Amino acid sequence: MMKIDVLTLFPEMFSGVLGSSILHKAAEKSAVQYNVVNFRDYADNKHQTVDDYPYGGGAGMVLKPQPLFDAVAALKEQAESDRTRVILLCPQGKTYDQKTAEELAQEEHLIFVCGHYEGYDERIREHVVTDEISIGDYVLTGGELGAMVVIDSVVRLLPEVLGNQESHMKDSFSTGLLEHPHYTRPSDFRGMKVPEVLLQGNHKLIEEWRNKEALRRTFLRRPDLLEKIELTKDQENWLNEIKKEYE
């Protein structure tokens, strides 16, 4: 079972997310255990202050090292795991992607550090954190929303969490391509019809159609992804056909 600890000043933000949908079901199935901690509880002063003015001056407040050093140490000891990843959510981190989600899903213990204010004391980055992650090139009020995104993307990859274990294997980005279009009943909705190939029951042709449409969608929306993967001979031929359609 994976253990996920979250260090935050606003633990109430996580109750709805971790208590709903797939994340809640994962905990019920004992695939994961969540523990949301207010790291203010680890402050060593009577006012439980976790921030202070930056040396050298400047705007905003900076998170002090002591509460987070002590909080992470305590959580590691409680987990009794030699495989702990301490993840700092920050705009300066590595841009998050599906490959990283798949990597994190193999771990036993994840600790997410959600900061607020102007930033973190640099010693937190240097001596506590193992990973710095950014969910995009923009700035949020704190790390909580970023942690929720990462947790959701990781937990859904754990064994037995999704009803169909093949679901995540064909998600967008898992194959290197964007996912193909999906259709359901009715086959004719207000004159808008489902592609005929999907109605005929020929699974070989259906799989070929899905592969082609995944290539088409990736070519039209995210052509940069095509530069990062090695295409099969069939995929190269299909891609050439698709390109000719748009010349």
Side-chain angles (χ1 to χ4, degrees), residues 52-134:
D52 209 334
Y53 295 102
Y55 279 119
M61 305 290 280
V62 175
L63 285 173
K64 300 168 65 175
Q66 177 273 318
L68 286 171
F69 266 71
D70 288 354
V72 169
L75 293 177
K76 283 185 175 181
E77 185 175 352
Q78 293 168 18
E80 298 180 350
S81 172
D82 295 329
R83 295 176 55 185
T84 298
R85 298 275 286 269
V86 183
I87 301 166
L88 186 70
L89 283 304
C90 69
Q92 301 172 34
K94 173 187 174 184
T95 302
Y96 192 60
D97 57 18
Q98 186 66 21
K99 182 179 179 181
T100 306
E102 293 170 357
E103 176 188 328
L104 293 177
Q106 304 301 313
E107 298 296 337
E108 299 175 355
H109 185 207
L110 303 177
I111 299 176
F112 291 88
V113 179
C114 309
H116 261 67
Y117 312 116
E118 182 63 24
Y120 308 89
D121 185 291
E122 188 66 17
R123 289 164 290 189
I124 296 170
R125 299 179 190 272
E126 293 175 346
H127 301 286
V128 175
V129 170
T130 61
D131 302 82
E132 294 186 46
I133 286 178
S134 167

Side-chain angles (χ1 to χ4, degrees), residues 20 31 45 83 146 183 211:
S20 304
N45 59 86
R83 295 176 55 185
Y183 295 90
N211 281 323

Side-chain angles (χ1 to χ4, degrees), residues 197 201-211:
V197 65
N202 187 320
H203 295 294
K204 182 178 180 181
L205 291 180
I206 289 173
E207 190 64 23
E208 182 176 307
W209 178 87
R210 287 174 172 170
N211 281 323

Side-chain angles (χ1 to χ4, degrees), residues 6 10-18 23 89 112 114 135 143-154:
V6 180
F10 302 94
E12 65 277 7
M13 292 180 66
F14 288 85
S15 58
V17 173
L18 300 182
L23 296 184
L89 283 304
F112 291 88
C114 309
I135 62 168
E144 285 77 12
L145 294 176
M148 293 175 196
V149 168
V150 177
I151 291 170
D152 184 279
S153 65
V154 169

Side-chain angles (χ1 to χ4, degrees), residues 215-229:
L215 275 169
R216 183 190 308 277
R217 181 155 288 184
T218 306
F219 170 68
L220 294 176
R221 301 185 181 187
R222 290 291 305 277
D224 58 297
L225 295 177
L226 296 173
E227 300 174 3
K228 302 176 183 178
I229 61 173

